[in-house]
Each structure stands twice: as C-alpha cells, then as structure tokens.
Amino acid sequence: MKTIIAACSQNLSGSRASIQTALRTLLAARWPSQRDVRSWLQLLSVLQWVLSFLLLGTVSLLILIYLVFTSFWPISALYLAWIIFDWDTPEKGGRRLPCLRRWPVWRHFRDYFPVKLVKTHDLSPSHNYIIGSHPHGILCVGAFCNFITGSTGFGEMFPGIRPFLTTLAGNFRLPVFREYLMSGGLCPVTRRAIGYLLSKNGTGNAVAIVIGGAAESLSCRPGVTTLVLKKRKGFVRMALQHGAYLVPSFSFGENDLFRQVVFEEGSWMRSIQQRFQKMMGFAPCIFYGRGLTSVHSWGFLPYARPITTVVGEPVMVPKIEDPSSETVDMYHEMYIRSLLKLFNENKTKYGLSETDELHIL
C-alpha cells in the first residue's frame, strides 16, 4: 500500500511540474501585438472582398441549382420568383443600405493598402455628375473603396452628394451577388440605369464610370499609365443629354496591386482575350498577387500598395437632348484636357516621376 501511495504522490508531483512548466512556457510565449491583430483584420477584410467578387455569384447560383433537386427546392423557387419581381430594380437606382457602406470591415480594407481620397474642388448638390474613374486596374479597388464604402470620407468631403459606381450588367443577373452589389450603391453600366440616376433621382447624384473598362485591364501592369479613352464618348453624350457635369478622377497606385502576364498586341493570346472580352464583357486577365500566408508567396490577394484617388475639377456641361457629334467631340476633348491636368499636377505627389506621362489610346 505504501508503495502505491508513494507512486501516486510521484505522479501527482510530476503532473504539477508539467502543468507549471506548460504555464511558464505559455506566459513566456510572444502574444500577438495590436499591430499583428490589425494586420490580420486587414488581410481578412481584403480576402472576403476578393472572394465575394470572384465567387459569391457563381457559388450562389450553383447552390440554388443544387437545391432544386432536393427537398429544399422551395427556396430556389421563391428566390427565382423574387428575382423576376425585382428584375428592374438595378436599373432604377438599386437598393442602397447605408449600414453596409458604414460596415467597420471597410476601415480595415482601406488601411490594408492604404486607400486615400483627395478632393481638389467642391461638388454642388444642386447638380448631377458623371465621375470618370481611371485607371481600371484589375479589380477597381480605388473606385470601390472611395465611391462604395464610406471609409475614405467621401460623404464628409462632398456633403449632399450620393456616389454610385457602375459595373457590368451581367453581374446583376447572378443570385445573391446582385443584392450585395445593390446594397453598396452599384448599378449596371447601361444607358437606362445611368439615365435614371441622372434624371429621375433628383440632384446630388454622382455616377462613377470606369471608362476604360475590360479593354483597359488587359494593359494593366506596374509602372504603366495607359488609358483606353479616345473612342469612349458615350459617357460624354449622356452627360450632355442630362446636363450632368463631367468630373475626372485618377487613382494613383491602382496598377501596382497585381502582376499580370501582358500579351503583345497582335499575338494569338491577346486576340483570344479581346474576342472573349467583346463576347462576355470582361477580359480573362492572367494575373497574380500575394498569398494568404506571406507577401513572398503567389496568390490572388492584391499587394499592399498605396492608392490615392484624386477627384478633379468639374467640367460644366449644358443640357442638350440631341447633341451633335461635334459637340460631343468638343466636350470629350475638354474632359481629356482636364484629366491630363489632374494627372500632371499630382503625379509627383503620389509615387510617379516628373517624366511619367499619361498615354491615352
């Protein structure tokens, strides 16, 4: 019996010693600092955004199709009925949710890069505006952060102005994803949707259009400042038809977020990309960024590079219901001059050299 008691005492002593050793090791370990926690939150906020834009629509569609063949088929049926009933809402201003624009995650999203908004001139709430957003980049991070989230202070800088951002109309045909887009203030880049905001939604609306679109994304790479703009005149015609002022904006650093395999003009791969872009509305870019665990690994997350979006001086536009081609060309040239002025006055402040030029195709 004494032998058993002695053995138990030794085991208990050993257990206490092991627990004490483990506690000392745990207390001696380096706990995450506030800076580490902020970095993780910033990374997760960007991850959820990238996954939402790349996968939310497709995954939601596949889930609804799968549910059709299960006992949960009424969910798919009800949602299909809802989409049919709600079909025209994206074309009529959407369904903005201010609480989503103020979502705290967008502050972490902003700070990851970081993204900054710079105001150069006031915008009067008594007018409507078309904001030209340049460049497109790969995922339009600057345009999304500044015009869709409230994290960079657009509402405080431009009181009385309601910003909207346009995107491909096909995105609003994807289940769940369409609700996500509308809640933030995105609308289809169609004449009907833009015309509604500029004529039937009162004044103080600012519709941001990424004018270069998918064609411009094919040339996106660090150090390159090439815009597709010379033949893009539809936004000017719409501005004239509705009397909306034209406002240039440029996001310095947008093209530095990803690395892309750029195929030369005339190559068979570039030809395939361009044909796909004309048929589907978006370009199949071959790009990469950083990985989830390390900035030195490859992945689909953008690199943490500063983005500064500068909003320029409005070009005053008269209201002409049926503008002539000459009038459209004149205001198109005025817009380009204003954009070039904005670029040249700010390029050295935000990462470019004095010799860098803005190439417009």
Side-chain angles (χ1 to χ4, degrees), residues 331-348:
Y331 281 96
H332 186 258
E333 285 297 324
M334 291 172 63
Y335 176 83
I336 290 178
R337 286 198 299 270
S338 182
L339 176 62
L340 288 170
K341 179 184 176 184
L342 174 71
F343 177 82
N344 290 323
E345 287 180 350
N346 292 277
K347 61 184 180 181
T348 57

Side-chain angles (χ1 to χ4, degrees), residues 231-252:
K231 296 182 180 179
R232 302 289 173 102
K233 301 179 182 180
F235 73 103
V236 178
R237 183 174 295 276
M238 289 207 69
L240 285 164
Q241 289 173 340
H242 298 285
Y245 290 5
L246 291 168
V247 183
S249 72
F250 195 92
S251 293
F252 294 91

Side-chain angles (χ1 to χ4, degrees), residues 25-204:
T25 303
L26 183 62
L27 293 174
R30 178 180 175 272
W31 285 79
S33 64
Q34 289 185 348
R35 182 178 180 181
D36 292 333
V37 173
R38 283 197 301 269
S39 296
W40 294 341
L41 290 174
Q42 291 167 10
L43 191 63
L44 289 174
S45 69
V46 174
L47 176 64
Q48 66 82 26
W49 179 78
V50 171
L51 291 178
S52 295
F53 269 82
L54 296 182
L55 298 177
L56 180 59
T58 303
V59 171
S60 299
L61 178 61
L62 292 176
I63 290 175
L64 288 174
I65 293 174
Y66 169 75
L67 292 179
V68 169
F69 302 98
T70 69
S71 58
F72 296 100
W73 65 265
I75 296 176
S76 299
L78 287 172
Y79 190 79
L80 177 60
W82 164 251
I83 286 184
I84 294 173
F85 173 78
D86 197 53
W87 190 261
D88 287 336
T89 299
E91 303 278 353
K92 296 180 178 179
R95 192 166 36 245
R96 296 163 67 96
L97 293 178
C99 60
L100 184 65
R101 293 172 61 87
R102 296 192 298 266
W103 200 17
V105 73
W106 300 130
R107 294 198 298 270
H108 300 298
F109 180 86
R110 171 201 65 195
D111 294 338
Y112 171 84
F113 297 96
V115 182
K116 181 182 178 183
L117 180 66
V118 175
K119 168 186 172 181
T120 61
H121 292 78
D122 291 329
L123 299 181
S124 171
S126 61
H127 296 287
N128 285 325
Y129 303 89
I130 289 181
I131 300 178
S133 179
H134 311 274
H136 183 283
I138 296 293
L139 294 178
C140 304
V141 173
F144 177 87
C145 191
N146 287 298
F147 303 130
I148 293 303
T149 80
S151 62
T152 57
F154 185 96
E156 291 74 25
M157 290 186 191
F158 302 101
I161 303 297
R162 295 181 297 275
F164 296 85
L165 179 63
T166 58
T167 185
L168 292 174
N171 289 329
F172 294 89
R173 305 296 178 250
L174 294 172
V176 182
F177 190 45
R178 69 190 296 273
E179 323 299 339
Y180 176 78
L181 295 177
M182 285 193 291
S183 64
L186 283 105
C187 63
V189 61
T190 62
R191 290 184 179 276
R192 183 185 176 193
I194 297 171
Y196 180 92
L197 294 172
L198 297 178
S199 63
K200 298 180 181 179
N201 200 43
T203 60

